[in-house]
Amino acid sequence: MVIMAVSSSSSTFQPVLDRIAAEIENMPARGRPADYIPALAACDPRRFGMAVAELDGTVYGVGDWRQPLSTQSLTKVFTLALVLAGGGDALWERVGREPSGNPFNSLVQLEYENGIPRNPFINAGALVVTDRLHTQTGDAAGTLLDFLRAESGNAQLASNKDVAASEAAHGDRNAALGHFMASYGNIGNPVPTLLDQYFRQCSIEASCADLALATGFLARHGIRADGTRLLTSSQAKQVNAVMLTCGTYDAAGEFAYRVGLPGKSGVGGGIIAVVPGHCTLCVWSPGLDERGNSVAGVAALERFTTLTGLSVF
Amino acid sequence: MVIMAVSSSSSTFQPVLDRIAAEIENMPARGRPADYIPALAACDPRRFGMAVAELDGTVYGVGDWRQPLSTQSLTKVFTLALVLAGGGDALWERVGREPSGNPFNSLVQLEYENGIPRNPFINAGALVVTDRLHTQTGDAAGTLLDFLRAESGNAQLASNKDVAASEAAHGDRNAALGHFMASYGNIGNPVPTLLDQYFRQCSIEASCADLALATGFLARHGIRADGTRLLTSSQAKQVNAVMLTCGTYDAAGEFAYRVGLPGKSGVGGGIIAVVPGHCTLCVWSPGLDERGNSVAGVAALERFTTLTGLSVF
Amino acid sequence: MVIMAVSSSSSTFQPVLDRIAAEIENMPARGRPADYIPALAACDPRRFGMAVAELDGTVYGVGDWRQPLSTQSLTKVFTLALVLAGGGDALWERVGREPSGNPFNSLVQLEYENGIPRNPFINAGALVVTDRLHTQTGDAAGTLLDFLRAESGNAQLASNKDVAASEAAHGDRNAALGHFMASYGNIGNPVPTLLDQYFRQCSIEASCADLALATGFLARHGIRADGTRLLTSSQAKQVNAVMLTCGTYDAAGEFAYRVGLPGKSGVGGGIIAVVPGHCTLCVWSPGLDERGNSVAGVAALERFTTLTGLSVF
Amino acid sequence: MVIMAVSSSSSTFQPVLDRIAAEIENMPARGRPADYIPALAACDPRRFGMAVAELDGTVYGVGDWRQPLSTQSLTKVFTLALVLAGGGDALWERVGREPSGNPFNSLVQLEYENGIPRNPFINAGALVVTDRLHTQTGDAAGTLLDFLRAESGNAQLASNKDVAASEAAHGDRNAALGHFMASYGNIGNPVPTLLDQYFRQCSIEASCADLALATGFLARHGIRADGTRLLTSSQAKQVNAVMLTCGTYDAAGEFAYRVGLPGKSGVGGGIIAVVPGHCTLCVWSPGLDERGNSVAGVAALERFTTLTGLSVF
């Protein structure tokens, strides 16, 4: 794998990235950073980075594209893929794959549906996925970190312990989700163990370049960076489908409408997106809209698909 | 205070109790004991006891009326009264007083209403009450136990440690409620501390006689067994009102319709009820209906108000 | 029956009514009249009347107690009683008797519960009651009017056609409720017929004196003004119970807590209340709180039960 | 435009259609036809037809692919496109574009969201679209019929009057939706007028061949069969996105997961689907699953994308 910022003269994607960055520079409002933990609240909402990785690992970038960001919910894509790779379809007995139509941390639907989360990308569903990955591997967060390091080629990737501690200190809502599902028998590990794994997972830091590369297997129909297969072609298609319908909380319809790509957002301001068979993207800007998606990030991806025509629709 | 089973010849209530017990004896179906913990599941659903306490402490009883039962949610009435006595109306900023229209352990409404429970008798609301009592006294469960001992005149009352441990082992739903409200800032103590207090509170065992006597202050407009005042007359009326509208989970309307008294049920099969200015009752039979109320208990109270005309309506 | 305003010197209730009226006079805020139809929106929120009827038909009053008001939802109590009198308990297969915990015109619960309204006092339930009364009698609104005239001794009572027309013109929400329940097979008459009856029912005008008298049968354990029996004693108790738990929309708990009487409010600003075995009340003031209950009306009733001690608790 | 069934030797799609039809033939269970109106309930659940239309209007088919079926909700795609073509984006102020997570005829979300339907493909949203098309054109159902005839090249297409009458006779739920939204001011035409248009729209009959052709503009980025432009390229992409996230009721995630194409189902057993830039499909089999989607239809589309690799993911 070769990571390189190719000059705009020889690149397919560099000019479009440069143009998008210039446009974003002039955006008047960019939302507000997540404020539930100090580490995220302190982010400058005007920061912006974007990276595109081609199937062969070539990466183009602009702005803060090499700056580590807090991955948060972006990691839910990777844990889902790892669980599917490790255990096949048994996961789907414990979590659904329908859009929730509710905020990411809602307990309402969970109660109406007897502790089975709607999909693996709302917090409840992600907890079920991490619970299962931990049962499969004995170390969910470590397994995830190894995977991200391998796919990005960046052995320095790590979880930020201060962020993890801060997540734990403000973790009552996730603790409620965990205990609630445990009351329905849908959690296999002790809730405190699960929460520890989950907070470590969410606190992993990686750059746009790292994350665009790590997402590559979803554009390569299941093939990892080293050429081995993680998912079947059918499974890779399925993960992309779940990203498109459920990847941006209760704004998935809006994201599909505007961007037209499978994508997953995180409250750290990152969004990863997939153009199957073509490339993967990661964009970062910490200012969020009211539904928790990066304002400049969604705008940049919308411009990307409009300028390149690389939508799935 | 004098506890005595007066012979039916000289008693107002003994004949009616005897008649009710005879009728209950012939009830074909009596529901099923609560099965979420072994201690309750093992109860014989055909057991039945009933006691009536007059304002002066005279008690009449029938059946298993001296047999200790697991008080469970019956205790919510006493903790509410103790908090109101200790802190006045500030409690009502943290818990409402409307019927919930939902099962006793639901989280749905709690989310729609930002962590403020509908009333103090659903589990979420009772946790808020216990949380506040613990803050006021430093020992919520101990304060409650002292109160019950004093009012019943039974110094032997105690919490059953095995039941408390079993509640804790099956306490995920209550843990979820606690953490969920904590995420809204509506819990003042650490959630594990609160849960420990709450499970000890629920595990207190007392007989129908004990509980009918302990409820007496609500029929005496706030006056305790020793003649001192716990609640103002207005507060006592208010507690009775909350019992009538919210005391039997999502069957409060049905209970008011059939029985016509302020009452509070528990999953141990007990129900306490108040005839303001006249007497208090406690009935016990472990078989529950689908909403968690004692089948024979409700039937017995309905017969009592029909036979004596002592309804509030 | 004798209607008379006894001078305060010889009356039990006149001094307390005079005192309450004087206190209400000084209330700074009295809410806002209902504004969904012009006829109600035009009411002066500072108007106030209150009447108490003793069991023998003696009436005491203060303020605008002889002024006709738009009865609106107050009529739901009388149609319920008439249906129960005519058809016994079969009604309860088509409507529940639990507090709804939701606004009076909500469709949410109705959908979760397959078209069976929670209770007869939310709009959906009242439509079911009127539908049944119309089936029983062939003229629901006419039957109701005859009953109110007989009980009040006021043959002049009538439906206001302008108000009924205005209700119909703004009746989309009620039409939605009717069609929705019809889709579940819970309406027996054509929806337009039902709505016409319902709007005529709601548009009946009567004074506080008329309404306090008309409610008398609920304090007399089912006996009408002419001494004949409308309801069994048990049915009268049951109607009172439903009023207490469901009579003031999603503020029933609050009303029970503050007032402590079975009561029913209407968006015309009227509230009727029952002291079983003692007397009945009607209070009127058009300014409503956000839940649709008269602000001055609730305050006046709260003062009444505090001053007289005539609460059911 | 040329409609022809090319022999399997010279065709891209004929062999795959033949293979799918053979597999479907052996499916043991195929669901149950919709039973809310007799016309649909009478359909044989074992009927099966499938057609694929290439961009140039070449059509391949198998089974009952020339047999007229009741289009029902399939028409919602075309009315949406016609409104967007006629009025641009103003529609989106009156209807959202998020998956609902609820059944197609639910009123629950509509109440929580003040009469603004979640998306144009649930019944409430489709009523808003038809309401607007009727305002734009004065004849919503006629405009739609003209469009379908032109795109399919089949001038015989018509609405089935018996089916329309049957829909109207069983139309209480849709009447409830219409009146409910009217109560929020979100319907511009009289509700009875709107319902008449809507039932005529739903009763249009067309074959798989007709419908695959009529959907062609969504694969041609907005270009109609005659080469004129109906939608901008961006609008066509957006309609496809809404189909993918909202087109199959509360099974949109499952459909995306299994099939991976923008699609829209109807209770008549039809499903239309789009492979942007490649082709369009219509499949028909009257047996439905519990969420209202054709069992054999979804299975056939899943096989199609698996066998051809023509998923968007």
Side-chain angles (χ1 to χ4, degrees):
Chain A
M1 183 192 320
V2 180
I3 303 182
M4 54 175 181
V6 182
S7 73
S8 60
S9 61
S10 64
S11 154
T12 308
F13 288 120
Q14 197 63 45
V16 72
L17 291 182
D18 293 342
R19 178 169 167 184
I20 291 169
E23 292 180 8
I24 294 294
E25 181 73 22
N26 294 321
M27 273 185 76
R30 295 199 194 169
R32 298 177 47 201
D35 57 6
Y36 72 100
I37 57 169
L40 295 180
C43 287
D44 176 0
R46 297 199 61 80
R47 301 201 70 163
F48 175 80
M50 188 170 185
V52 183
E54 292 181 335
L55 300 186
D56 65 358
T58 308
V59 185
Y60 308 92
V62 72
D64 300 314
W65 68 296
R66 290 182 181 283
Q67 171 74 28
L69 60 106
S70 191
T71 56
Q72 299 290 334
S73 293
L74 305 182
T75 57
K76 295 173 181 172
V77 174
F78 305 107
T79 52
L80 173 62
L82 290 166
V83 167
L84 291 177
D89 282 354
L91 174 68
W92 300 121
E93 297 165 17
R94 295 175 56 193
V95 61
R97 46 204 182 212
E98 291 302 328
S100 79
N102 279 309
F104 64 93
N105 57 2
S106 172
L107 276 88
V108 170
Q109 233 163 20
L110 205 49
E111 179 165 332
Y112 285 132
E113 296 172 6
N114 299 317
I116 304 295
R118 268 292 170 98
N119 66 63
F121 292 157
I122 52 174
N123 283 16
L127 284 166
V128 168
V129 171
T130 296
D131 177 62
R132 193 156 186 94
L133 184 60
H134 197 64
T135 298
Q136 286 177 357
T137 66
D139 181 6
T143 301
L144 169 63
L145 193 55
D146 288 345
F147 177 80
L148 293 176
R149 286 172 174 167
E151 297 305 297
S152 67
N154 181 351
Q156 309 303 315
L157 296 186
S159 188
N160 181 320
K161 290 182 181 174
D162 291 344
V163 172
S166 194
E167 298 276 0
H170 297 82
D172 275 311
R173 181 64 83 106
N174 283 312
L177 288 168
H179 283 291
F180 193 64
M181 293 190 292
S183 77
Y184 286 101
N186 201 21
I187 295 294
N189 293 284
V191 173
T193 302
L194 170 58
L195 292 173
D196 176 59
Q197 289 288 320
Y198 184 70
F199 295 139
R200 285 172 54 203
Q201 163 188 332
C202 292
S203 304
I204 292 174
E205 294 181 342
S207 71
C208 290
D210 297 326
L211 290 162
L213 285 167
T215 308
F217 71 99
L218 288 174
R220 287 186 301 260
H221 306 299
I223 305 297
R224 292 183 60 159
D226 65 3
T228 61
R229 180 170 289 283
L230 178 71
L231 300 178
T232 67
S233 177
S234 183
Q235 286 175 318
K237 163 183 139 182
Q238 290 161 352
V239 173
N240 285 331
V242 179
M243 288 176 76
L244 196 134
T245 53
C246 314
T248 42
Y249 311 125
D250 49 339
E254 185 73 11
F255 188 84
Y257 180 90
R258 288 178 56 189
V259 174
L261 291 178
K264 180 78 202 79
S265 59
V267 293
I271 308 175
I272 54 177
V274 179
V275 188
H278 286 261
C279 61
T280 48
L281 301 97
C282 180
V283 60
W284 175 55
S285 182
L288 308 181
D289 61 26
E290 59 190 5
R291 284 158 155 176
N293 298 308
S294 169
V295 173
V298 174
L301 289 170
E302 182 178 16
R303 290 300 292 151
F304 180 85
T305 57
T306 300
L307 292 171
T308 63
L310 286 174
S311 154
V312 300
F313 298 119
Chain B
M1 184 191 320
V2 180
I3 302 182
M4 54 177 181
V6 182
S7 73
S8 62
S9 62
S10 64
S11 155
T12 307
F13 289 119
Q14 197 63 46
V16 72
L17 292 182
D18 293 341
R19 178 168 168 185
I20 291 169
E23 291 180 9
I24 294 294
E25 182 73 20
N26 295 321
M27 274 186 74
R30 297 201 194 168
R32 298 177 48 203
D35 58 5
Y36 72 101
I37 58 170
L40 295 180
C43 286
D44 176 359
R46 297 199 60 80
R47 301 202 68 164
F48 174 81
M50 188 171 183
V52 183
E54 293 180 333
L55 299 188
D56 66 357
T58 308
V59 185
Y60 308 92
V62 73
D64 299 315
W65 68 297
R66 291 182 181 281
Q67 170 74 30
L69 60 106
S70 192
T71 57
Q72 299 291 332
S73 294
L74 304 182
T75 58
K76 295 173 183 174
V77 173
F78 305 107
T79 52
L80 172 63
L82 289 166
V83 166
L84 290 177
D89 281 355
L91 174 70
W92 300 120
E93 298 166 15
R94 295 174 58 191
V95 61
R97 47 202 180 214
E98 290 301 328
S100 79
N102 279 308
F104 66 91
N105 58 2
S106 172
L107 277 85
V108 169
Q109 232 163 22
L110 205 49
E111 179 166 332
Y112 286 133
E113 297 173 5
N114 299 316
I116 304 294
R118 267 294 170 97
N119 66 63
F121 292 158
I122 52 175
N123 284 15
L127 284 165
V128 167
V129 171
T130 298
D131 177 61
R132 193 155 186 96
L133 184 60
H134 197 64
T135 298
Q136 285 177 359
T137 65
D139 182 7
T143 300
L144 169 63
L145 193 55
D146 288 345
F147 177 81
L148 294 176
R149 287 172 174 167
E151 298 304 298
S152 66
N154 182 351
Q156 309 303 316
L157 296 186
S159 189
N160 182 320
K161 290 182 183 176
D162 290 343
V163 172
S166 194
E167 299 275 359
H170 296 83
D172 274 311
R173 182 63 83 103
N174 283 312
L177 288 168
H179 283 291
F180 193 63
M181 292 190 289
S183 78
Y184 286 102
N186 201 21
I187 295 295
N189 293 285
V191 174
T193 301
L194 169 59
L195 293 174
D196 176 60
Q197 289 288 321
Y198 184 71
F199 295 139
R200 285 171 55 203
Q201 163 187 334
C202 292
S203 305
I204 291 174
E205 295 180 343
S207 70
C208 290
D210 298 327
L211 290 161
L213 286 167
T215 309
F217 70 100
L218 288 174
R220 289 186 299 261
H221 307 298
I223 304 296
R224 293 183 61 160
D226 64 2
T228 61
R229 180 170 288 284
L230 179 71
L231 299 179
T232 66
S233 176
S234 182
Q235 285 176 321
K237 163 183 140 181
Q238 291 161 353
V239 173
N240 285 331
V242 178
M243 287 175 77
L244 195 136
T245 53
C246 314
T248 42
Y249 311 127
D250 48 339
E254 186 72 10
F255 188 85
Y257 179 91
R258 289 179 56 190
V259 175
L261 291 178
K264 180 77 203 80
S265 60
V267 293
I271 308 177
I272 52 176
V274 178
V275 188
H278 285 260
C279 62
T280 50
L281 300 98
C282 181
V283 60
W284 173 55
S285 183
L288 307 181
D289 61 26
E290 58 190 6
R291 284 157 156 177
N293 297 309
S294 169
V295 173
V298 174
L301 290 170
E302 181 178 16
R303 289 302 291 151
F304 180 85
T305 57
T306 300
L307 292 171
T308 63
L310 287 173
S311 153
V312 302
F313 298 119
Chain C
M1 182 192 317
V2 180
I3 303 182
M4 55 177 180
V6 181
S7 73
S8 61
S9 60
S10 64
S11 155
T12 307
F13 289 120
Q14 196 63 45
V16 72
L17 291 182
D18 292 342
R19 178 169 169 185
I20 291 169
E23 292 181 10
I24 295 294
E25 181 73 21
N26 294 322
M27 275 186 76
R30 295 199 194 169
R32 297 177 48 201
D35 57 6
Y36 73 100
I37 57 169
L40 294 181
C43 286
D44 176 0
R46 296 198 62 79
R47 300 201 69 164
F48 175 80
M50 188 169 185
V52 183
E54 292 180 335
L55 299 188
D56 64 359
T58 308
V59 185
Y60 307 92
V62 72
D64 300 313
W65 68 296
R66 291 182 181 281
Q67 171 74 27
L69 60 104
S70 191
T71 56
Q72 298 291 332
S73 294
L74 304 183
T75 58
K76 295 172 182 173
V77 173
F78 305 106
T79 51
L80 173 61
L82 290 166
V83 167
L84 291 176
D89 282 355
L91 173 71
W92 300 121
E93 297 166 17
R94 296 174 57 193
V95 61
R97 47 203 182 214
E98 289 302 329
S100 79
N102 279 309
F104 65 92
N105 58 2
S106 172
L107 277 87
V108 169
Q109 234 164 19
L110 205 49
E111 179 166 332
Y112 285 132
E113 296 172 7
N114 299 317
I116 304 295
R118 268 294 170 96
N119 67 62
F121 292 156
I122 53 174
N123 284 13
L127 284 166
V128 168
V129 171
T130 297
D131 177 61
R132 193 156 185 94
L133 183 60
H134 196 65
T135 298
Q136 286 177 358
T137 66
D139 181 7
T143 301
L144 170 62
L145 194 55
D146 287 345
F147 178 80
L148 293 176
R149 286 172 175 168
E151 298 305 296
S152 67
N154 182 351
Q156 309 302 317
L157 295 186
S159 188
N160 182 321
K161 290 184 181 175
D162 290 343
V163 171
S166 193
E167 300 276 359
H170 297 82
D172 274 311
R173 181 63 83 106
N174 283 312
L177 289 167
H179 283 291
F180 193 64
M181 291 190 291
S183 77
Y184 286 102
N186 201 21
I187 296 294
N189 294 283
V191 173
T193 301
L194 169 58
L195 293 174
D196 176 60
Q197 290 288 320
Y198 184 70
F199 294 140
R200 284 172 54 202
Q201 163 187 335
C202 292
S203 304
I204 291 175
E205 295 180 342
S207 70
C208 288
D210 297 327
L211 290 161
L213 285 167
T215 308
F217 70 100
L218 288 174
R220 289 187 298 262
H221 306 299
I223 304 297
R224 292 182 61 159
D226 65 3
T228 62
R229 179 171 290 284
L230 179 71
L231 300 179
T232 66
S233 178
S234 183
Q235 285 176 319
K237 163 182 141 182
Q238 291 160 351
V239 173
N240 285 331
V242 178
M243 287 176 76
L244 195 135
T245 53
C246 313
T248 42
Y249 311 126
D250 47 339
E254 185 73 11
F255 188 85
Y257 179 90
R258 288 179 57 190
V259 175
L261 291 178
K264 180 77 203 78
S265 59
V267 293
I271 308 176
I272 53 178
V274 179
V275 188
H278 285 261
C279 62
T280 48
L281 301 98
C282 181
V283 59
W284 174 54
S285 182
L288 308 180
D289 61 26
E290 59 191 5
R291 283 158 156 178
N293 297 309
S294 170
V295 173
V298 175
L301 290 169
E302 183 178 15
R303 288 303 290 151
F304 179 86
T305 56
T306 301
L307 292 171
T308 64
L310 286 174
S311 153
V312 302
F313 299 119
Chain D
M1 183 193 318
V2 179
I3 305 182
M4 54 177 182
V6 183
S7 73
S8 62
S9 62
S10 64
S11 155
T12 308
F13 289 119
Q14 196 62 46
V16 72
L17 291 182
D18 292 343
R19 177 168 169 186
I20 291 169
E23 292 180 9
I24 294 295
E25 182 73 22
N26 295 322
M27 274 186 76
R30 294 200 195 169
R32 298 177 47 201
D35 57 6
Y36 71 101
I37 58 171
L40 295 180
C43 287
D44 177 0
R46 296 200 61 80
R47 301 203 67 164
F48 176 80
M50 189 171 184
V52 183
E54 293 179 335
L55 300 187
D56 64 358
T58 308
V59 184
Y60 307 93
V62 73
D64 300 315
W65 67 297
R66 290 182 181 281
Q67 171 74 30
L69 61 105
S70 191
T71 56
Q72 297 293 332
S73 293
L74 305 182
T75 58
K76 295 173 182 174
V77 174
F78 305 107
T79 51
L80 172 62
L82 290 166
V83 167
L84 291 177
D89 282 355
L91 174 69
W92 300 120
E93 297 166 14
R94 295 176 55 193
V95 60
R97 47 203 182 214
E98 289 302 329
S100 79
N102 279 309
F104 65 93
N105 58 2
S106 171
L107 276 88
V108 170
Q109 233 164 20
L110 205 50
E111 179 166 332
Y112 286 133
E113 296 172 6
N114 299 316
I116 304 293
R118 267 295 170 96
N119 66 63
F121 292 158
I122 52 175
N123 284 14
L127 284 166
V128 168
V129 171
T130 297
D131 177 61
R132 193 157 185 94
L133 184 59
H134 197 64
T135 297
Q136 286 177 358
T137 65
D139 182 7
T143 300
L144 169 63
L145 193 55
D146 287 346
F147 177 79
L148 293 176
R149 287 171 174 169
E151 297 306 297
S152 67
N154 182 351
Q156 309 303 315
L157 296 185
S159 188
N160 182 320
K161 289 182 182 175
D162 291 343
V163 172
S166 194
E167 300 275 0
H170 297 81
D172 274 312
R173 182 63 83 105
N174 283 312
L177 289 167
H179 282 291
F180 193 64
M181 292 190 291
S183 78
Y184 287 102
N186 201 23
I187 294 294
N189 293 284
V191 172
T193 301
L194 170 58
L195 293 173
D196 176 61
Q197 290 287 321
Y198 184 70
F199 294 139
R200 286 171 54 202
Q201 163 187 333
C202 292
S203 303
I204 291 174
E205 295 182 342
S207 71
C208 289
D210 297 328
L211 290 162
L213 285 167
T215 309
F217 71 99
L218 288 174
R220 288 186 299 261
H221 306 299
I223 305 296
R224 294 182 59 160
D226 65 3
T228 61
R229 180 171 288 283
L230 179 70
L231 300 178
T232 65
S233 177
S234 181
Q235 285 176 321
K237 163 182 141 182
Q238 290 160 353
V239 173
N240 285 332
V242 179
M243 286 175 77
L244 195 135
T245 53
C246 313
T248 41
Y249 312 126
D250 48 339
E254 185 73 10
F255 188 84
Y257 179 90
R258 289 179 55 190
V259 175
L261 291 179
K264 180 77 203 78
S265 59
V267 292
I271 309 176
I272 53 177
V274 179
V275 188
H278 285 261
C279 62
T280 48
L281 300 98
C282 181
V283 60
W284 174 55
S285 183
L288 308 181
D289 61 25
E290 58 191 7
R291 283 158 156 176
N293 298 308
S294 170
V295 173
V298 174
L301 289 170
E302 182 177 17
R303 289 301 291 152
F304 179 86
T305 57
T306 300
L307 292 171
T308 64
L310 285 174
S311 152
V312 301
F313 298 119

